[in-house]
């Protein structure tokens, strides 16, 4: 049953995750008189990819993630992606600090805390790569203060759990940045949406967007109450779809031409988890290693300290799993229903041109519990299987598209799609995801509202300076802004002369 007459709104945001929450807050700051509605199919905010247990919680700043610094054919390290991600994370820090200063996000320690970020290089090649990575980054202001060591005594001090019972004499090295962070994006999302609601926005949970169509100069959304079955139509000149794995099916149903050739492939992640106090006390860090040969970039193994609901845990993974669902609470038919005539060539090309990835996924699906413990033992030689449990950590969709005749995966960042003159914007993809939400939403605003960019510019640069703005700061300005944001968020202060995001 549909109520008579649509509701007119200036903005409708589909999805109650960190992306929609961030965009809503920015729009409420820039245009406080606009009417904004957020529609979320689940009964609370941040329960899918933004949930603390559905992501690693790493405040991705390029400090330790090797997949953002690939080796070039000449043996040098390309650090451009790491620098970009570091700048994007500073955008997020700046926005969060601004909101904390105004009392809109509560205590910052509830959603962000300092946790050192380390990279681990093993074997002669791994150590050489790690040293080259460190040398390529250490003079950049966003990475100043990062340390490198191959001294076993120093490494044991940095990583007591990792070096307990480790066989001596193996080539091994690590980099360490004390300015790393652990972020609970679920708590952050709920705080952002609460701040948005306090400014008059309408946040509706348990509402599923069942239809989206363009009529004249307005988008019409058919929204269903999942509890009562009642339907209501929303009408708006601007809609943003930040529904994670649910984004592509909704855009396909709306026949948005820009996504006609896109495909997606679902990947589920699993982690080993422990909360044993002696283990947590021996590893207060996020430690990233190398991806296995043929493995996708999102498979980089890491051993992370997490704080969720005030309790300390360690997580190790990810281990790939498979489900045809696009969301943890999605449908078993999601994958099949996403295959269309327009994207079938892309899906076939991706299968043809990514055989090593398919082989990796098959190997992962065949893993036994003993195989997973053996992988953890490479990081924690003293591991005991009974101390760890296997958990499923969310559902992702890997974006597929055709590039120069080859089926390729969008490995990093999110794919921004705009349609109908910018009146619709949507995000596909995940990594590095939530950490870059503020910078990504600044890009969404620029793509969606080009006529307002000049008027919004000064306020946006204050709230959430774009990555390009960060790149334009000199060292002194960068250091001052980093210091201020970190001080407000009660994070480990940057030592004098350093400016690490």
């Amino acid at each position: 049953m549909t109520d008579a007459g649509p509701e007119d709104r200036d903005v409708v945001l589909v999805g109650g995750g960190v992306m929609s929450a961030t965009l809503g807050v920015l729009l409420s700051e820039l245009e406080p008189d606009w009417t904004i509605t957020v529609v979320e199919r689940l009964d609370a905010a941040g329960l899918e990819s933004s949930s603390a247990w559905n992501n690693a919680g790493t405040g991705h700043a390029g400090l330790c993630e090797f997949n953002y610094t690939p080796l070039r054919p000449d043996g040098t390290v390309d650090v451009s992606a790491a620098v970009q991600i570091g700048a994007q994370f500073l955008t997020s820090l700046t926005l969060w600090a601004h909101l904390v200063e105004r009392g809109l996000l509560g205590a910052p320690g509830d959603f962000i805390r300092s946790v050192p970020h380390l990279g681990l290089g093993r074997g002669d090649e791994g150590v050489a790569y790690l040293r080259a990575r460190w040398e390529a980054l250490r003079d950049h202001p966003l990475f100043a203060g990062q340390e490198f060591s191959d001294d076993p005594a120093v490494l044991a001090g940095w990583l007591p759990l990792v070096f307990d019972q480790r066989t001596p004499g193996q080539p091994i090295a690590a980099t360490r940045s004390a300015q790393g962070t652990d972020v609970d994006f679920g708590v952050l999302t709920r705080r952002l949406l609460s701040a948005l609601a306090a400014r008059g926005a309408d946040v509706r949970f348990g509402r599923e967007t069942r239809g989206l169509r363009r009529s004249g100069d307005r988008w019409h959304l058919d929204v269903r109450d999942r509890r009562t079955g009642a339907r209501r139509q929303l009408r708006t000149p601007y809609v943003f779809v930040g529904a994670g794995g649910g984004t592509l099916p909704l855009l396909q149903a709306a026949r948005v031409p820009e996504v006609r050739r896109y495909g997606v492939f679902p990947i589920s992640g699993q982690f080993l988890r422990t909360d044993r106090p002696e283990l947590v006390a021996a590893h207060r860090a996020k430690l990233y290693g190398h991806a296995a040969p043929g493995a996708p970039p999102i498979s980089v193994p890491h051993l992370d300290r997490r704080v969720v609901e005030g309790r300390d845990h360690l997580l190790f993974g990810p281990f790939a799993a498979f489900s045809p669902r696009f969301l943890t609470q999605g449908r078993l038919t999601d994958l099949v229903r996403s295959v269309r005539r327009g994207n079938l060539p892309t899906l076939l090309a991706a299968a043809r041109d990514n055989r090593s990835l398919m082989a990796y996924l098959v190997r992962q699906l065949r893993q036994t519990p003993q195989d997973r413990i053996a992988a953890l033992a490479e990081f924690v030689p003293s591991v005991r299987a009974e101390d760890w449990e296997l958990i499923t950590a969310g559902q992702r969709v890997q974006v597929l598209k055709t590039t120069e005749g080859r089926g390729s995966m969008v490995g990093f960042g999110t794919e921004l799609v705009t349609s109908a003159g910018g009146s619709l914007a949507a995000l596909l993809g995940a990594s590095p995801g939530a950490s870059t939400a503020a910078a990504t939403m600044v890009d969404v605003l620029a793509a969606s509202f080009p006529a307002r960019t000049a008027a919004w510019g000064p306020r946006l640069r204050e709230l959430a300076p774009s990555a390009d703005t960060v790149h334009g700061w000199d060292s002194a300005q960068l250091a001052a802004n980093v210091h201020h944001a970190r001080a407000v968020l009660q994070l480990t202060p940057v030592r004098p002369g350093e400016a690490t995001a």
Side-chain angles (χ1 to χ4, degrees):
M1 176 178 174
T2 302
D3 293 341
E7 294 181 72
D8 286 309
R9 313 294 288 176
D10 292 314
V11 172
V12 175
L13 309 174
V14 180
V18 69
M19 294 295 180
S20 291
T22 301
L23 181 59
V25 167
L26 288 172
L27 282 170
S28 74
E29 293 283 340
L30 296 169
E31 297 290 345
D33 295 331
W34 282 8
T35 55
I36 299 174
T37 291
V38 181
V39 181
E40 165 57 44
R41 68 186 293 267
L42 301 181
D43 293 332
L47 295 182
E48 282 284 349
S49 296
S50 299
S51 167
W53 290 126
N54 289 345
N55 59 70
T58 302
H60 286 289
L63 300 172
C64 60
E65 307 93 329
F66 296 162
N67 45 322
Y68 301 147
T69 51
L71 273 174
R72 298 188 180 98
D74 63 0
T76 60
V77 178
D78 181 358
V79 299
S80 57
V83 171
Q84 179 70 3
I85 290 165
Q88 290 175 326
F89 187 58
L90 181 54
T91 302
S92 292
L93 286 180
T94 303
L95 176 62
W96 302 341
H98 181 90
L99 298 174
V100 166
E101 282 185 306
R102 293 168 54 194
L104 298 177
L105 294 185
D110 292 342
F111 64 86
I112 189 169
R113 56 197 55 84
S114 292
V115 174
H117 286 190
L118 289 90
L120 187 70
R122 293 176 294 158
D124 291 330
E125 290 185 4
V127 171
Y129 163 77
L130 189 63
R131 185 186 293 275
R133 181 185 192 276
W134 171 67
E135 290 177 344
L137 286 171
R138 62 176 176 172
D139 291 332
H140 192 284
L142 286 171
F143 298 84
Q146 188 170 100
E147 302 171 87
F148 171 91
S149 182
D150 56 5
D151 182 335
V154 173
L155 298 177
W158 287 352
L159 299 163
L161 183 62
V162 174
F163 282 83
D164 181 28
Q165 300 182 28
R166 182 168 293 277
T167 303
Q170 300 173 335
I172 193 165
T175 56
R176 181 179 186 274
S177 175
Q179 285 76 42
T181 55
D182 175 59
V183 185
D184 187 326
F185 288 106
V187 171
L188 175 63
T189 298
R190 290 187 284 277
R191 297 283 174 86
L192 288 168
L193 285 178
S194 293
L196 183 58
R199 300 195 64 144
D202 182 18
V203 182
R204 305 182 187 183
F205 297 115
R207 306 297 201 277
E208 184 173 17
T209 303
R210 301 297 298 270
L212 174 65
R213 63 184 176 84
R214 180 79 169 169
S215 179
D217 61 351
R218 293 290 189 271
W219 288 97
H220 294 248
L221 295 89
D222 181 20
V223 179
R224 176 180 175 269
D225 187 319
R226 298 182 72 204
R227 183 176 60 85
T228 66
R231 296 196 175 201
R232 192 64 188 258
Q233 190 174 94
L234 301 178
R235 187 169 59 189
T236 179
Y238 180 75
V239 61
F240 170 75
V241 185
T247 297
L248 182 64
L250 185 57
L251 299 185
Q252 288 178 324
R255 298 186 177 182
V256 174
E258 287 81 2
V259 302
R260 184 172 180 269
R261 297 187 182 278
Y262 278 104
V264 291
F265 186 79
I267 297 177
S268 180
Q270 295 180 314
F271 282 81
L272 291 169
R273 180 177 70 184
T274 183
D275 60 0
R276 289 187 66 90
E278 65 273 22
L279 298 179
V280 174
H283 187 77
R284 297 190 175 275
K286 290 182 181 287
L287 176 68
Y288 277 61
H290 301 276
I298 59 174
S299 72
V300 171
H302 44 100
L303 179 64
D304 298 334
R305 182 204 177 198
R306 294 299 318 274
V307 180
V308 180
E309 297 178 354
R311 190 172 180 180
D312 291 311
H313 303 78
L314 297 183
L315 267 69
F316 175 78
F319 302 101
F322 176 76
S323 167
R325 293 181 172 92
F326 285 175
L327 296 163
T328 59
Q329 300 187 48
R331 300 179 179 88
L332 288 171
T333 56
D334 283 344
L335 178 57
V336 172
R337 289 161 61 94
S338 75
V339 179
R340 306 293 178 90
R341 181 181 300 176
N343 67 12
L344 184 58
T346 296
L347 295 169
L348 294 175
R352 178 196 67 206
D353 298 329
N354 292 276
R355 291 173 182 164
S356 61
L357 172 59
M358 296 298 106
Y360 165 80
L361 181 58
V362 171
R363 291 195 301 272
Q364 286 279 295
L365 295 176
R366 294 174 60 187
Q367 278 191 323
T368 65
Q370 292 77 19
D371 292 332
R372 287 188 282 267
I373 290 296
L376 174 56
E378 295 185 16
F379 279 69
V380 183
S382 60
V383 63
R384 299 187 309 170
E386 60 268 27
D387 293 336
W388 299 77
E389 63 174 334
L390 185 67
I391 65 168
T392 298
Q395 188 77 2
R396 301 287 188 274
V397 289
Q398 182 67 56
V399 179
L400 308 173
K401 63 181 181 179
T402 303
T403 304
E404 297 180 352
R406 292 181 57 84
S408 63
M409 298 186 306
V410 180
F412 302 122
T414 49
E415 193 85 350
L416 171 60
V417 175
T418 59
S419 186
S423 65
L424 177 144
L427 288 183
L428 300 170
S431 180
S435 296
T436 66
T440 302
M441 292 304 100
V442 170
D443 291 341
V444 167
L445 290 173
S448 300
F449 302 97
R452 297 178 180 268
T453 300
W456 286 350
R459 181 62 172 151
L460 262 182
R461 285 190 290 273
E462 177 187 356
L463 286 169
S466 69
D468 288 342
T469 299
V470 172
H471 292 320
W473 290 339
D474 61 31
S475 295
Q477 188 176 10
L478 179 58
N481 289 333
V482 168
H483 175 79
H484 177 75
R486 296 185 66 86
V488 171
L489 295 172
Q490 300 174 17
L491 299 172
T492 301
V494 177
R495 293 190 293 268
E498 297 178 1
T500 304

